[in-house]
């Protein structure tokens, strides 16, 4: 869930109600699950590959590689695994 300045811009609208109010009785339990998605932005990946003895690797090479390998497909196993 993302928070935003306007309710229409958020993924979900959340209202805070005071304890003991009529609305409180209607709410049994609210569970909010935070989701941290580990990301490796392309710039970070290009930097790591360049540092690993491939100085000519660039953003274009990264794009061509992930398209060739279909790396966005979760079944391929190329997704981020918390290596931030």
């Amino acid at each position: 869930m993302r928070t935003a300045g306007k309710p229409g811009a958020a993924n979900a609208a959340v209202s805070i109600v005071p304890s003991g109010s009529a609305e409180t009785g209607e709410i049994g339990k609210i569970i909010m699950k935070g989701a941290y998605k580990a990301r490796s932005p392309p710039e970070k990946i290009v930097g790591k590959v360049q540092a690993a003895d491939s100085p000519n690797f660039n953003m274009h090479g990264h794009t061509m590689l992930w398209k060739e390998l279909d790396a966005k497909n979760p079944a391929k196993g190329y997704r981020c695994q918390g290596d931030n």
Side-chain angles (χ1 to χ4, degrees), residues 3 8 10 12 14 24 30 37 51 58 60-61 68 73 75 77 81-82 84:
T3 58
V14 176
T24 307
I30 298 176
K37 295 182 180 179
N58 57 22
H60 177 71
E68 181 181 326
N73 183 348
Q81 297 180 12
N84 286 358

Side-chain angles (χ1 to χ4, degrees), residues 18-79:
S19 177
S21 69
E23 292 90 359
T24 307
E26 296 174 17
I27 301 170
K29 185 184 266 188
I30 298 176
I31 300 172
M32 296 181 75
K33 181 180 177 184
Y36 172 74
K37 295 182 180 179
R39 291 190 65 230
S40 288
E43 297 84 10
K44 190 173 182 179
I45 295 169
V46 169
K48 285 183 177 183
V49 173
Q50 287 175 341
D53 203 31
S54 293
N56 294 329
F57 188 76
N58 57 22
M59 190 63 70
H60 177 71
H62 175 270
T63 303
M64 299 302 291
L65 184 62
W66 74 252
K67 284 182 178 181
E68 181 181 326
L69 297 175
D70 189 24
K72 284 193 173 187
N73 183 348
K76 300 286 184 166
Y78 292 115
R79 303 294 283 189

